[in-house]
Amino acid sequence: MKNTSVISDVPSQKRQLETTFDGNSPKRLHVDDNSDFFGLPHKVKHLFKKHKRITQLYDWQIECLNLEAIRTRKNLIYALPTSGGKTLVAEILMLKELIVHERNVIFILPYVALVQEKVQSLCPFGLNLEFNVEEYVGGKGKHPPLHRKRKSSLYVCTLERGAGLVDCMLGDNGQLGGRSVGMIVVDELHLLGEQKRGALLEATLTKVLDSKQSKHNIQIIGMSATIGNMQEIGDFLNAHVYTRDFRPVKLTETIKLNEKIFVINKDIDGSLKSKLDRKLHFDDYSTDMKQLDPSGIGLLVREILPDGSCLIFCPTKSSCQSIAKMIYKTIGHEETQVKLKQKEELYKALKEEGDGKVCPLLSRSILFGVAYHNSGLTNAERKLIEEAFLDGILKCICCTSTLAAGVNLPAQRVIITSPYVGRDFMKQSTYRQMVGRAGRAGLTESGDSVLLFQENDKEKIKVLLESGVEHIDSCLGTEESVVYSMILSSVSTGCTSSQQQLVDLMKRTLFIQQAEKRNAECTVASDLVESCLDKLKSINAFDKPIEDKLKLTTIAKAAVAANLDILEAQKLYTELLEASSALILTNKLHLLYLAVPYTECITIERQNVLDIMTNLQGDQQALANRLGLNELCISQFISYGKIKNVPESIWNKFLMSLILNDLWNKESIWTVSKTYNLPRGTIYSFLSRTASHASSILRFTEGRATQLHKAGYKTLNDVAKANKKELCNVINHLPLKVAREMIASAKLMLLSEAEALEELAESLRADLNQSMSKSKDNSLWF
């Protein structure tokens, strides 16, 4: 495989070259600039200039876009340091696929915030260039997608929703929404090495790469800043590899021990070299200020004010707030007069988003140009803070490490207050992502980072800074549920139909390829498939094979359609069956309970749980009794802190459903946050996950409804009048007991509707009689 790997630090890499969008510089491309831009219409240049403020391409971007791999539609993965301009290359390639080739594109991103940011930034392009931009996150996005044959569509999605879209595509002969998919783009490709999500991404890409699917001619584009074994990942994806060590602005890395700050560099052999740069002086601090900020973080922020901006990475969510409070108390009151009107507007916007309330810390700190950013805030609050930072209204944001990978917020200076993320020592990739935020192309010529540490972490810091980028090791083999889903979906979509084909598919995975490198005689693929098939057969995921061809049960098919784990799908099916015979419909609580994901568990303080459970009323108590959550359970919780009679998943789901019920009944998120003593952002994230799960439940149940409709049972009345044996004959794999329950349920619902209509008629009759009795002639008139 040809590999373009240019790791160097020549000055030419730092120049913004050739291909200017306004046509004022020499051109490198032998095309008519008035009509062509990498095969795209001329107006695309102006859209980049107008909406992204990009007027030039870097030389590496031009080189990458002109690779032979691009012209021949070979898969491509490329890696550069953070802030090197990777996304622009992917966007140009996606636009070309959407506009020129008129094929759909799936764009997979790791975080909800990134999906929302990309949808917002790409919508103007979709409007001007006439393609659809579809957001697939949480409960948003139809599954399968709506047919949109007139325009091509860009599906912007998270890893989880992307997996579902790929299954839809493979099941529909390479199409989504009535049009073929031509490209799949994966951002942050290094996430392949993560537990669960990395395994899901690997399984998704493997199914696309399968030889039976190569007829669809789908090009995979992957980008990342941090992959050590880049060539091995390239082999897995059958991709051309392109790497560069390029940053648009100079980065100076420093470390701080006590009051001394050292500039760090690497020797030719990779060993660390450090040189004393300066000492922090606390002359401007009062005694109280030095006690408040003994590390001098506020002084480091002061150094780049008033013109610079600063990101401060904190080890925990709570430390973000405490450090933000310390910063605004130490940077000086002169900052309160800068952009005062815009700060007032930011405060009003936060107040509007918070139903008239603003976090007390933010209401004070934003006056000084300081804010915090963590999962305790709602998405809307975080978005307002990000926009204010980009506009220069806020000069300093205290955040957790997730911001480094989550959104594009460059700053002049990055301060890392601790080499720990939570309790764990920082990984090299995490450090690189953080310091990569230092420096803003077009606004600053350089950026710098400061890493604070203690004497006892000195050796660990040396190892961190000297180590190379981590290699990606597959986690697929440790994630059985992902392998189960991979097997079921590949059979459901027709990619495989036999055990041997499943083994061949498994050999395409990164996991097996890495295992075979360690042991050429390994039988991991066949062993893994065999053990997983045995487990899936034991839980009735397969019907009896026909001529050795694997055939899924109805529930397994529904699980694939809903993008649900098979074990979770079976739990859901059992729960829905139980609920159908005794569903509490006097309010929405029971339905909300069913929508809560099984894996959902937010820790609520013990006293809060006791207060909630001892004050249940009406329908809340009725549902608790229905689920077996009685006084004995409360007694057990008081004594042991947990319950024994009822599964923990039911207990957790019930508590979570109470949160949803309060929100459904129009309680403000501030009130709910106070009631359950939970951060607003935690509640908001829970809402998003529940919405996604609810959409999966809808897809899971649609299978039976579709079968009924195709069999001629188009209304509730049709089902109520059905014969249970005839129903079993026309609906595949429908047990007699379930058919009887379905008919009874339909009759019950019709009876309920009839009774409601009778009550309405009686009420109208009573009103009419009352009106007639008041009439003088006691007669009707019109």
Side-chain angles (χ1 to χ4, degrees):
M1 182 182 301
K2 185 180 176 182
N3 179 17
T4 304
S5 179
V6 186
I7 310 296
S8 60
D9 190 27
V10 295
S12 63
Q13 281 184 232
K14 296 179 181 178
R15 290 184 288 129
Q16 294 185 333
L17 284 180
E18 334 305 0
T19 314
T20 61
F21 290 179
D22 55 10
N24 291 328
S25 295
K27 309 297 185 297
R28 221 180 192 181
L29 299 177
H30 299 290
V31 294
D32 180 3
D33 193 54
N34 291 320
S35 61
D36 202 42
F37 169 61
F38 296 103
L40 286 164
H42 178 75
K43 67 176 179 179
V44 174
K45 298 180 182 182
H46 302 291
L47 290 172
F48 275 114
K49 184 176 181 180
K50 179 180 179 181
H51 297 289
K52 293 180 176 286
R53 298 176 184 177
I54 296 173
T55 58
Q56 293 178 302
L57 266 69
Y58 300 121
D59 56 344
W60 81 262
Q61 292 170 328
I62 298 166
E63 184 179 30
C64 186
L65 287 164
N66 282 293
L67 288 171
E68 181 68 19
I70 298 299
R71 285 197 287 270
T72 58
R73 293 188 61 81
K74 185 177 177 65
N75 295 341
L76 170 71
I77 59 173
Y78 58 100
L80 286 95
T82 302
S83 299
K86 296 183 295 296
T87 305
L88 178 60
V89 170
E91 288 176 352
I92 290 172
L93 293 174
M94 287 191 292
L95 290 176
K96 190 172 180 180
E97 195 69 25
L98 291 160
I99 300 164
V100 178
H101 301 300
E102 296 185 336
R103 299 179 75 188
N104 291 342
V105 174
I106 299 174
F107 189 9
I108 298 175
L109 296 144
Y111 304 109
V112 171
L114 270 178
V115 171
Q116 293 170 334
E117 180 185 290
K118 287 301 174 189
V119 167
Q120 185 176 345
S121 69
L122 290 169
C123 274
F125 289 79
L127 186 64
N128 283 277
L129 300 171
E130 298 185 349
F131 63 85
N132 302 303
V133 180
E134 308 266 5
E135 180 179 345
Y136 275 73
V137 63
K140 294 182 179 178
K142 294 287 184 180
H143 191 103
L146 295 172
H147 274 230
R148 300 181 183 275
K149 291 187 177 180
R150 291 185 178 180
K151 298 178 183 178
S152 53
S153 295
L154 172 61
Y155 300 98
V156 190
C157 53
T158 55
L159 292 175
E160 294 76 14
R161 298 302 301 276
L165 284 171
V166 165
D167 283 341
C168 283
M169 177 195 75
L170 296 177
D172 194 17
N173 199 32
Q175 293 192 335
L176 282 179
R179 188 184 289 257
S180 66
V181 174
M183 180 179 288
I184 296 175
V185 178
V186 181
D187 195 8
E188 307 291 354
L189 190 61
H190 63 273
L191 291 174
L192 276 169
E194 273 196 7
Q195 291 287 342
K196 189 73 177 182
R197 301 176 80 220
L200 178 61
L201 178 59
E202 181 182 343
T204 301
L205 293 174
T206 299
K207 285 182 287 187
V208 177
L209 290 163
D210 180 48
S211 58
K212 283 187 70 177
Q213 300 304 321
S214 61
K215 61 183 179 182
H216 300 314
N217 193 25
I218 297 170
Q219 187 179 21
I220 296 174
I221 305 293
M223 50 183 162
S224 178
T226 50
I227 296 180
N229 52 335
M230 193 72 172
Q231 191 59 56
E232 187 174 45
I233 305 304
D235 292 340
F236 158 57
L237 293 173
N238 190 27
H240 180 90
V241 177
Y242 181 91
T243 61
R244 279 288 187 93
D245 186 16
F246 168 76
R247 289 193 95 252
V249 296
K250 182 183 177 182
L251 171 64
T252 302
E253 297 178 51
T254 68
I255 52 177
K256 178 182 175 295
L257 179 62
N258 300 322
E259 295 178 4
K260 296 178 180 179
I261 297 176
F262 301 85
V263 175
I264 58 171
N265 287 295
K266 281 188 178 180
D267 237 334
I268 297 175
D269 61 358
S271 60
L272 190 68
K273 290 178 65 178
S274 62
K275 179 182 178 182
L276 181 64
D277 181 58
R278 65 190 189 278
K279 289 184 180 181
L280 280 185
H281 297 288
F282 290 81
D283 300 345
D284 293 336
Y285 268 13
S286 64
T287 304
D288 290 342
M289 288 167 71
K290 187 164 185 179
Q291 286 181 343
L292 182 65
D293 180 24
S295 298
I297 298 173
L299 292 173
L300 292 171
V301 176
R302 278 186 177 191
E303 287 181 347
I304 51 97
L305 295 178
D307 299 321
S309 58
C310 183
L311 286 178
I312 301 179
F313 288 104
C314 311
T316 64
K317 187 169 66 177
S318 60
S319 62
C320 291
Q321 290 160 261
S322 58
I323 290 175
K325 185 176 181 180
M326 178 265 290
I327 296 283
Y328 91 74
K329 288 188 174 183
T330 57
I331 62 172
H333 280 271
E334 58 273 12
E335 282 299 315
T336 61
Q337 302 306 309
V338 179
K339 297 192 175 183
L340 186 57
K341 185 178 179 181
Q342 292 95 321
K343 289 173 182 175
E344 289 173 354
E345 290 172 354
L346 172 61
Y347 175 81
K348 289 177 183 176
L350 286 167
K351 190 173 182 180
E352 187 176 335
E353 288 292 347
D355 294 326
K357 295 183 180 180
V358 179
C359 166
L361 173 56
L362 286 178
S363 65
R364 181 66 177 160
S365 69
I366 59 176
L367 184 62
F368 292 81
V370 179
Y372 71 91
H373 185 294
N374 59 30
S375 60
L377 298 174
T378 66
N379 276 10
E381 289 170 330
R382 290 200 293 266
K383 191 67 180 174
L384 286 169
I385 287 169
E386 291 162 15
E387 289 171 352
F389 184 76
L390 289 170
D391 290 340
I393 300 165
L394 296 176
K395 297 295 182 68
C396 177
I397 291 182
C398 301
C399 52
T400 50
S401 61
T402 52
L403 183 69
V407 289
N408 184 25
L409 288 184
Q412 182 178 332
R413 172 168 291 175
V414 165
I415 300 172
I416 304 171
T417 61
S418 168
Y420 289 85
V421 177
R423 296 181 179 180
D424 300 323
F425 197 81
M426 186 182 298
K427 290 183 179 179
Q428 214 268 351
S429 57
T430 304
Y431 170 76
R432 283 286 146 219
Q433 282 189 322
M434 289 180 180
V435 300
R437 295 297 173 200
R440 184 182 298 196
L443 296 179
T444 58
E445 293 183 359
S446 63
D448 65 79
S449 64
V450 188
L451 169 61
L452 283 65
F453 68 100
Q454 303 298 320
E455 187 71 42
N456 56 351
D457 286 324
K458 198 170 181 178
E459 286 304 313
K460 288 182 180 179
I461 291 292
K462 188 173 184 293
V463 172
L464 171 71
L465 297 174
E466 286 183 343
S467 61
V469 179
E470 292 104 338
H471 283 214
I472 289 176
D473 290 318
S474 171
C475 299
L476 185 65
T478 62
E479 298 292 342
E480 280 192 342
S481 63
V482 176
V483 180
Y484 294 158
S485 295
M486 181 182 176
I487 288 173
L488 293 175
S489 64
S490 65
V491 173
S492 176
T493 56
C495 296
T496 58
S497 60
S498 66
Q499 183 167 336
Q500 184 55 51
Q501 287 179 349
L502 283 171
V503 173
D504 293 340
L505 176 68
M506 200 60 63
K507 287 181 177 180
R508 289 287 294 112
T509 64
L510 177 65
F511 170 65
I512 297 301
Q513 288 178 14
Q514 288 182 330
E516 287 178 343
K517 281 186 178 180
R518 293 189 292 269
N519 179 8
E521 302 298 321
C522 84
T523 58
V524 176
S526 55
D527 293 345
L528 180 60
V529 168
E530 185 175 356
S531 64
C532 287
L533 281 178
D534 287 344
K535 173 65 176 178
L536 289 168
K537 288 173 182 176
S538 72
I539 59 174
N540 301 315
F542 287 101
D543 280 333
K544 288 184 179 180
I546 301 174
E547 297 179 355
D548 293 330
K549 286 191 175 182
L550 297 167
K551 187 178 180 184
L552 302 187
T553 59
T554 303
I555 291 180
K557 287 179 182 177
V560 173
N563 201 24
L564 286 173
D565 167 74
I566 181 62
L567 297 175
E568 188 175 337
Q570 290 183 327
K571 282 183 188 176
L572 175 62
Y573 182 68
T574 302
E575 201 168 65
L576 289 173
L577 276 180
E578 291 173 354
S580 67
S581 61
L583 187 64
I584 301 171
L585 290 173
T586 49
N587 67 11
K588 298 293 189 295
L589 180 60
H590 200 169
L591 291 173
L592 293 170
Y593 167 83
L594 293 172
V596 176
Y598 293 96
T599 54
E600 193 62 52
C601 181
I602 301 173
T603 303
I604 302 175
E605 290 183 4
R606 186 169 176 173
Q607 188 56 51
N608 285 83
V609 174
L610 290 175
D611 292 342
I612 291 163
M613 294 302 295
T614 53
N615 288 288
L616 295 177
Q617 296 178 350
D619 295 315
Q620 295 177 338
Q621 188 63 62
L623 179 58
N625 293 337
R626 170 78 178 78
L627 299 173
L629 298 171
N630 50 31
E631 292 180 1
L632 177 61
C633 294
I634 306 301
S635 175
Q636 289 175 346
F637 186 80
I638 292 171
S639 302
Y640 309 110
K642 60 181 181 179
I643 55 176
K644 299 178 180 178
N645 303 36
V646 178
E648 191 174 2
S649 61
I650 292 177
W651 170 252
N652 289 330
K653 282 189 68 169
F654 178 70
L655 292 175
M656 297 301 99
S657 68
L658 295 177
I659 295 175
L660 291 177
N661 194 50
D662 286 352
L663 293 168
W664 183 272
N665 290 321
K666 294 184 170 53
E667 293 280 359
S668 77
I669 197 166
W670 285 86
T671 302
V672 176
S673 173
K674 184 177 181 181
T675 301
Y676 296 89
N677 196 22
L678 293 171
R680 301 183 306 287
T682 300
I683 296 170
Y684 189 90
S685 298
F686 161 58
L687 270 175
S688 178
R689 294 191 294 271
T690 302
S692 181
H693 186 65
S695 67
S696 294
I697 294 174
L698 179 62
R699 298 196 299 273
F700 181 80
T701 55
E702 278 175 348
R704 181 75 73 198
T706 302
Q707 284 182 310
L708 286 168
H709 193 273
K710 287 181 178 178
Y713 299 93
K714 298 181 179 181
T715 66
L716 200 61
N717 193 38
D718 291 337
V719 178
K721 292 189 298 183
N723 177 282
K724 57 181 180 290
K725 290 184 178 179
E726 289 179 359
L727 206 60
C728 290
N729 289 334
V730 295
I731 304 297
N732 290 334
H733 315 298
L734 181 67
L736 192 64
K737 178 176 180 289
V738 176
R740 188 166 55 245
E741 289 172 347
M742 285 172 62
I743 294 168
S745 179
K747 288 179 177 178
L748 186 64
M749 291 170 75
L750 283 174
L751 183 62
S752 178
E753 286 182 13
E755 289 173 348
L757 288 170
E758 286 174 1
E759 289 178 9
L760 178 61
E762 287 177 9
S763 176
L764 290 172
R765 194 176 293 115
D767 290 343
L768 186 60
N769 289 336
Q770 187 178 8
S771 174
M772 289 173 63
S773 66
K774 292 179 180 179
S775 174
K776 288 184 180 179
D777 59 359
N778 204 29
S779 63
L780 288 173
W781 61 275
F782 296 92

